[in-house]
Amino acid sequence: MKLATRISRISVSQTMAVMEAAVKLREQGIDVVDFGPGEPDFPTPDNIKQAAIRAINANFSKYTPIGGVKELRKAIVDKHARDFGSKYDVSECVANVGGKHAIFNIFSALVDEGDDVIIPTPYWVTFADIARYVNSNPIFVHTKESDGFRLTAELLERSITPKTRLVVVNSPNNPSGAVLENGEFVRIAKLCQDRGVYLLSDECYSHFLYDGRKPFSIGGHQEFKDHVIIAGSISKTYAMTGWRIGYVLALPELISAILKLQSHSTSNPASISQKAAIEALSGPQESVPAMLAEYAKRRKFVLERLRAIPGVKCAEPGGAFYAYPNISAAFGRGGIKNSIDFSARLLEKAHVAVTPGEAFGTNDHVRISYATSMEQLDKGLNRIREFMAGL
Ligand SMILES: Cc1ncc(COP(=O)(O)O)c(C=O)c1O
């Protein structure tokens, strides 16, 4: 069958490939410790579930406006204003079918064929593939492990050219957990504005910050509004990955373009999920710090245990729920040449699933998701230590 060229430019997400390999082993009855999934292990909080049940019982099951009901868009802009001091109007907000869909729509509406899109490494794999899908050129800017994988305006400046259309920033970062300093974020936004390029800020993990650090959004800085685009998601903050609600905050022109596209593709996000999202954003918020406290314990545990493994180095993840250890000390031992080999051997021999750094644009690392129980973390980290010792 002859498929469209655009589809051949992208590949199946390697993060999904790990999940599939782990599932296959599990089906054979093998006890796999899975550090692959990028999703909370908590159930959706009860108040949110009840809101969805009420919506079903009230027959809230018809098409809604393409970009979501006004009540939801208002809940999104109000919550963003409360958390970050931003001032978006409802006309500057569209709800999408998850953050991934938000990002896909932004690229589709904004980036032309042949444009350059700057993506700092390590990056969430989807950014690069969507850039390729719209036939733009992903330009990778390598952040330094010694700087905790944080992008700086100085690093970025060297890569901006007249062909640059969009710069993608994801802080807290998947996979490294790196969090930009607020001042640096502002410098980056100023640079983008001065050079006439758009800055896409993916705020998927905005509420996953540790050591008392407060959430920050560049959307709170009105002075950059003409160049800043926010992609948000309720998936991780409220343990709602399956409900599929994300959003874009941007100038009305971009919102209208996205609505046009959405009107011919997905139409509105699921009506029931919209009601659940309104409750998530406007209802009681206790579940968020409660889950965060749990992640904070796990993060400390994982970091300590990883750093205690001879040869393993791990930059401090300031946010999200991932650790991104450097495992290159294992290269050249037991036939392991890169992090793909490392992950494959670790799964095969020690039955621990991690995601190879190649999926995120670096070769010396693997991603460990600590969105899993302490018991699983303990078991998996023991297995990694024994695996490394036995190489
Ligand atoms: C960096 C980043 N952005 C956006 C998303 C999108 O999440 P969702 O489509 O579930 O809202 C993810 C999910 O893994 C992510 O890791």
Side-chain angles (χ1 to χ4, degrees):
M1 191 174 183
K2 185 165 171 4
L3 298 173
T5 336
R6 76 176 79 84
I7 203 74
S8 66
R9 287 197 292 266
I10 63 174
S11 33
V12 178
S13 162
Q14 267 172 290
T15 55
M16 299 284 181
V18 179
M19 277 162 87
E20 278 163 25
V23 166
K24 276 197 192 127
L25 283 183
R26 276 216 178 105
E27 279 167 4
Q28 295 164 30
I30 294 170
D31 166 32
V32 175
V33 175
D34 196 354
F35 291 156
E39 66 176 338
D41 55 321
F42 297 104
T44 302
D46 202 51
N47 61 313
I48 302 174
K49 292 196 282 199
Q50 292 309 323
I53 291 166
R54 282 196 300 278
I56 293 172
N57 288 334
N59 296 314
F60 190 71
S61 49
K62 309 283 189 213
Y63 291 133
T64 76
I66 307 292
V69 292
K70 194 166 179 193
E71 196 190 352
L72 171 59
R73 287 180 292 136
K74 185 155 177 1
I76 293 168
V77 297
D78 286 352
K79 175 82 164 82
H80 207 269
R82 281 198 301 281
D83 288 353
F84 307 115
S86 61
K87 285 195 187 114
Y88 286 99
D89 185 70
V90 171
S91 64
E92 297 170 315
C93 172
V94 55
N96 319 97
V97 186
K100 216 176 239 189
H101 185 220
I103 294 162
F104 189 89
N105 283 350
I106 293 165
F107 270 77
S108 304
L110 196 72
V111 178
D112 264 321
E113 295 200 2
D115 283 349
D116 286 352
V117 175
I118 297 183
I119 302 174
T121 60
Y123 53 81
W124 181 49
V125 59
T126 293
F127 298 133
D129 269 342
I130 298 184
R132 292 188 186 104
Y133 186 76
V134 301
N135 214 1
S136 64
N137 313 307
I139 306 291
F140 301 111
V141 173
H142 299 284
T143 62
K144 292 197 203 116
E145 186 170 2
S146 54
D147 290 346
F149 298 109
R150 275 185 290 269
L151 178 69
T152 60
E154 198 191 338
L155 267 180
L156 180 62
E157 185 160 24
R158 286 183 229 148
S159 309
I160 295 183
T161 73
K163 281 180 74 188
T164 310
R165 179 69 150 205
L166 185 68
V167 172
V168 181
V169 168
N170 169 221
S171 171
N173 179 271
N174 174 9
S176 69
V179 181
L180 279 186
E181 292 304 327
N182 297 354
E184 200 60 44
F185 216 140
V186 169
R187 275 190 284 282
I188 288 170
K190 172 95 179 57
L191 175 65
C192 289
Q193 190 176 49
D194 288 348
R195 303 292 290 271
V197 302
Y198 293 106
L199 173 63
L200 165 57
S201 174
D202 176 352
E203 298 187 346
C204 182
Y205 298 95
S206 56
H207 287 77
F208 292 84
L209 287 167
Y210 304 105
D211 301 329
R213 202 160 157 182
K214 298 272 173 294
F216 170 85
S217 169
I218 197 66
H221 282 256
Q222 315 300 317
E223 66 273 30
F224 305 122
K225 200 165 175 180
D226 50 351
H227 284 85
V228 166
I229 302 153
I230 306 290
S233 168
I234 63 163
S235 287
K236 320 275 175 168
T237 316
Y238 299 100
M240 292 179 72
T241 43
W243 297 76
R244 312 309 303 136
I245 297 286
Y247 55 87
V248 179
L249 299 171
L251 291 182
E253 292 92 316
L254 181 59
I255 300 299
S256 303
I258 290 174
L259 282 171
K260 188 162 66 168
L261 177 63
Q262 208 156 287
S263 76
H264 295 298
S265 51
T266 55
S267 286
N268 59 273
S271 55
I272 308 302
S273 297
Q274 289 189 49
K275 287 289 187 188
I278 293 166
E279 173 65 21
L281 295 161
S282 322
Q285 298 294 308
E286 288 82 38
S287 57
V288 178
M291 289 190 272
L292 194 65
E294 209 32 61
Y295 289 120
K297 273 191 237 155
R298 297 170 184 181
R299 167 181 173 267
K300 187 167 177 287
F301 179 74
V302 169
L303 260 184
E304 278 169 12
R305 294 285 295 273
L306 279 173
R307 287 174 173 169
I309 300 175
V312 173
K313 288 182 286 180
C314 192
E316 181 124 345
F321 42 62
Y322 307 106
Y324 201 54
N326 184 318
I327 44 76
S328 59
F331 298 174
R333 286 155 63 189
I336 294 176
K337 292 185 294 298
N338 50 38
S339 76
I340 297 182
D341 291 345
F342 180 92
S343 306
R345 287 285 295 282
L346 183 69
L347 185 59
E348 182 192 312
K349 301 272 179 224
H351 304 147
V352 179
V354 296
T355 313
E358 271 81 353
F360 311 107
T362 73
N363 302 330
D364 294 347
H365 310 88
V366 293
R367 187 189 76 176
I368 290 181
S369 162
Y370 51 85
T372 188
S373 69
M374 281 296 229
E375 187 209 341
Q376 288 292 301
L377 289 171
D378 185 40
K379 185 158 54 168
L381 289 162
N382 279 340
R383 288 185 187 180
I384 294 177
R385 194 194 57 232
E386 281 158 28
F387 171 78
M388 293 280 287
L391 281 176

